[in-house]
Amino acid sequence: MTPATTLAWSPELALGDVRTDTTHEEFVELVNAVSAAAPEARLALYQELVKHTVEHFAQEERWMAACGIPADFCHFSQHNSVLEVMREVERRALLGELPLIESMLEALVEWFPQHAQSMDAGLVTYLAEKGFDTTSETFKAGAGSAAAELPSCSSHQPGQSCG
């Protein structure tokens, strides 16, 4: 493993929601496992990372949809962009372009902490405000699903959380 292709779980990545934090820790562990894998095991582990990421993003997107966040919101589009690239790397690695996995890991290591500390932190806060329980994927008694006013993707500025 090289420092450029590893992630360390840290208090800054913990967002205070057990299900989110567990999913994020699993993501970090998988990135590190792929990075540390022997060449003959790397593709299979990368495929596990892709599968986990698909499920991870689908989970967050279910939560956003339940709270009335529209599908064109920037958090959804960032997920789509990341998965598109991850799947293309998988496709090309299956054709023998295995070094692309290392490049993808470097990109994920750079991207993930910022995404977690901005978009996912905003989402966790928003879900708590709405009374949405991520474990049961239901609203707490007395809570509703109406979405509060959210910034549009076009008004999203780097460094701001968009949920």
Side-chain angles (χ1 to χ4, degrees):
M1 280 191 285
T2 64
T5 57
T6 59
L7 279 169
W9 185 255
S10 66
E12 292 80 30
L13 292 176
L15 302 178
D17 176 76
V18 173
R19 192 150 177 212
T20 300
D21 290 341
T22 299
T23 302
H24 284 179
E25 283 187 77
E26 292 166 352
F27 178 84
V28 167
E29 289 169 7
L30 277 168
V31 166
N32 293 337
V34 175
S35 183
E40 63 275 6
R42 191 168 245 207
L43 177 56
L45 281 170
Y46 179 75
Q47 289 176 304
E48 285 184 40
L49 175 62
V50 172
K51 181 181 178 199
H52 179 275
T53 305
V54 166
E55 293 167 2
H56 167 184
F57 291 174
Q59 172 180 275
E60 290 180 8
E61 291 169 7
R62 278 193 314 274
W63 302 344
M64 289 188 280
C67 289
I69 298 173
D72 64 351
F73 195 55
C74 55
H75 199 151
F76 287 93
S77 59
Q78 191 169 107
H79 284 175
N80 290 335
S81 296
V82 169
L83 281 178
E84 185 178 315
V85 176
M86 289 182 77
R87 287 177 174 139
E88 179 62 13
V89 166
E90 178 182 24
R91 184 188 74 75
R92 291 177 59 184
L94 285 165
L95 297 172
E97 295 183 64
L98 294 172
L100 291 176
I101 293 173
E102 182 78 13
S103 298
M104 187 72 236
L105 292 174
E106 290 172 7
L108 290 171
V109 165
E110 181 179 335
W111 166 80
F112 180 72
Q114 180 182 14
H115 178 81
Q117 293 168 341
S118 61
M119 290 190 175
D120 289 343
L123 176 60
V124 165
T125 298
Y126 183 74
L127 294 173
E129 289 170 0
K130 299 302 292 174
F132 188 82
D133 175 34
T134 60
T135 302
S136 64
E137 297 194 7
T138 60
F139 290 91
K140 295 172 185 163
S145 63
E149 191 165 318
L150 298 166
S152 69
C153 291
S154 61
S155 68
H156 181 72
Q157 300 296 316
Q160 285 183 327
S161 174
C162 77

